[in-house]
Amino acid sequence: MAGRSELLIAATGHAVATALSEEAVAGPPGRTHDVALCLFHAIERHPWLAPQVTAQISHNPAAPVTTRIVETVGRQVCALGVSASSWFTATSALLHHIPGAAGQNAAHRARASSLGPGTDREA
């Protein structure tokens, strides 16, 4: 590894591959929810993952992480019966929604866990 960025790329690839291999045993095709949950759980375990996935999607759409997510989500979109003319749009929407929502959830969970049990959340 030449530096921090290469290490983050490799770690991101490993975390996504692990998460999506969990998806492979989660259930039958058409389980978009399972794919999203596997990625959500990976991002929850590794809060640094959401911005890294987003950066790789944006800066290197042909990278292994991006193609792996696109292929996995795309297969699920196809299995849902989405018309072929809408596959790219539906897959792209999920591709951007999943890491964004997961990152927000991980940030909220981290913030909530830093609060004490008697904290007034309404204040």
Side-chain angles (χ1 to χ4, degrees):
M1 302 274 156
R4 181 175 182 254
S5 64
E6 285 186 18
L7 179 61
L8 281 171
I9 289 169
T12 300
H14 177 72
V16 168
T18 301
L20 294 181
S21 68
E22 293 170 12
E23 176 272 330
V25 297
R31 301 296 307 259
T32 309
H33 182 258
D34 292 341
V35 173
L37 274 180
C38 288
L39 288 170
F40 271 52
H41 292 312
I43 290 170
E44 192 172 74
R45 285 190 302 268
H46 310 289
W48 54 267
L49 187 57
Q52 288 304 313
V53 167
T54 302
Q56 288 192 32
I57 290 169
S58 299
H59 299 295
N60 193 358
V65 166
T66 305
T67 56
R68 183 171 193 131
I69 296 171
V70 167
E71 288 174 2
T72 303
V73 172
R75 280 193 301 272
Q76 301 304 320
V77 166
C78 178
L80 285 171
V82 174
S83 67
S85 63
S86 298
W87 287 349
F88 180 78
T89 303
T91 301
S92 294
L94 290 169
L95 175 68
H96 293 285
H97 172 74
I98 292 170
Q104 287 178 337
N105 287 345
H108 291 310
R109 173 172 244 152
R111 171 85 169 106
S113 67
S114 70
L115 301 173
T119 303
D120 179 10
R121 296 175 193 259
E122 300 297 321

